[in-house]
Amino acid sequence: GQQVMQIPQYQHVQEGEDFTTYCNSSTTLSNIQWYKQRPGGHPVFLIQLVKSGEVKKQKRLTFQFGEAKKNSSLHITATQTTDVGTYFCAGRSNFGNEKLTFGTGTRLTIIP
Amino acid sequence: DTAVSQTPKYLVTQMGNDKSIKCEQNLGHDTMYWYKQDSKKFLKIMFSYNNKELIINETVPNRFSPKSPDKAHLNLHINSLELGDSAVYFCASSPRLEPYEQYFGPGTRLTVT
C-alpha cells in the first residue's frame, strides 16, 4: 500500500533558526496537504498543493510540491516558539483511492 | 462554536469492556472519518463515511464498528477492548470526499488497563 515517510522524525532548533521537513511518497500523488498538531492538540489543516512544482507561502512558511508529485517540503524561516508541534504531510494516491495517507510526522521543538 | 466535537475527551477502561466514542460536526460536511493516533504519533485512518455510507474501511479488527445515524454524526463502538487499543482517536470531517481539507475534533484519549 501507499507509504508516506517524513524526515527528520524529530528536530530541535534554536529560536530564530530555519526548519525544513521533507515528505516522500511511495506513489505519485494527486495532491498533498500539510497539517500542524500542537502538543496535546489535534491536527489543523495548513495548506494543500495540487500542481507539479507548486510553491505556496504563508508568512514564514514555504510549501513545495515536487515535480514528480511524489515529494513535498515545508520550510519555516526564523522559527518562533509558536511553531512548536508535529507537522504532518498527507497525500492522496493518483490511483483513485480516496484515502488520505498521513506521513510519519516531524516533531519540532524550539529552544528559546 | 465547536466545529467537530467528540465525547468523551478521556476514557479509561479495563480490558474486555465495550465502549463508545461519539462525534458530531456542525459544518454541514458530507464526509466524516475516524483516525487512530498511537503513542508514536502515527496517524492512521480507520473508517470514512460519505453521506452516511461507509467508504473506507481499513484493516481494523471487527471489534471496531462505526455507526453514522446521520451526516452530522459518526460514532465509534469498540467491543472487547484490548491493551493495544490504547491511543488517541480523532474524528474528522470534510466538505466532500476530495480533494478537501479535513477538520479534526479534539480527540479522545483511550486508555485500556
Side-chain angles (χ1 to χ4, degrees):
Chain A
Q2 181 188 12
Q3 291 187 358
V4 182
M5 306 295 292
Q6 283 181 252
I7 53 169
Q9 192 176 354
Y10 302 94
Q11 184 81 61
H12 308 277
V13 300
Q14 289 281 152
E15 188 176 6
E17 287 183 346
D18 293 355
F19 158 76
T20 304
T21 172
Y22 299 91
C23 174
N24 294 289
S25 169
S26 57
T27 60
T28 306
L29 302 170
S30 59
N31 56 59
I32 194 146
Q33 298 177 353
W34 284 91
Y35 291 78
K36 176 184 178 181
Q37 184 177 16
R38 292 180 185 272
H42 58 275
V44 174
F45 174 79
L46 294 176
I47 208 160
Q48 176 169 269
L49 304 170
V50 179
K51 298 176 187 172
S52 167
E54 188 171 11
V55 177
K56 283 189 176 179
K57 291 192 175 188
Q58 284 180 353
K59 296 182 181 177
R60 293 178 296 104
L61 277 61
T62 302
F63 304 84
Q64 210 161 4
F65 200 7
E67 294 289 343
K69 299 183 80 172
K70 291 184 75 172
N71 56 71
S72 181
S73 64
L74 157 59
H75 180 82
I76 303 179
T77 305
T79 54
Q80 300 174 0
T81 54
T82 52
D83 295 326
V84 163
T86 301
Y87 291 85
F88 292 97
C89 62
R92 278 191 180 86
S93 167
N94 234 3
F95 296 106
N97 187 331
E98 307 288 357
K99 182 178 68 173
L100 190 68
T101 300
F102 277 77
T104 46
T106 295
R107 194 176 303 187
L108 173 63
T109 307
I110 307 289
I111 306 162
Chain B
D1 289 344
T2 306
V4 182
S5 58
Q6 292 178 232
T7 54
K9 192 168 172 60
Y10 300 96
L11 189 50
V12 181
T13 188
Q14 290 185 327
M15 281 175 56
N17 284 349
D18 303 340
K19 290 292 178 186
S20 290
I21 308 171
K22 294 188 176 181
C23 177
E24 177 181 1
Q25 53 95 3
N26 62 7
L27 297 166
H29 288 171
D30 286 351
T31 312
M32 295 184 74
Y33 311 82
W34 276 110
Y35 285 87
K36 178 180 180 182
Q37 187 171 48
D38 61 22
S39 56
K40 293 184 179 178
K41 293 286 194 179
F42 296 142
L43 202 57
K44 289 195 175 173
I45 190 164
M46 300 172 70
F47 304 101
S48 81
Y49 271 73
N50 189 56
N51 276 317
K52 300 195 301 173
E53 181 187 345
L54 180 65
I55 299 298
I56 292 172
N57 184 351
E58 285 297 286
T59 311
V60 175
N62 56 17
R63 298 182 294 104
F64 290 79
S65 51
K67 282 205 173 99
S68 182
D70 55 59
K71 252 181 25 170
H73 296 85
L74 180 61
N75 303 322
L76 184 65
H77 187 77
I78 316 169
N79 288 328
S80 304
L81 277 155
E82 300 177 358
L83 291 176
D85 297 332
S86 295
V88 180
Y89 292 85
F90 287 103
C91 175
S93 73
S94 63
R96 282 180 286 285
L97 267 174
E98 78 159 78
Y100 302 95
E101 68 268 28
Q102 295 186 10
Y103 295 78
F104 282 77
T108 295
R109 183 174 292 276
L110 171 65
T111 304
V112 182
T113 61

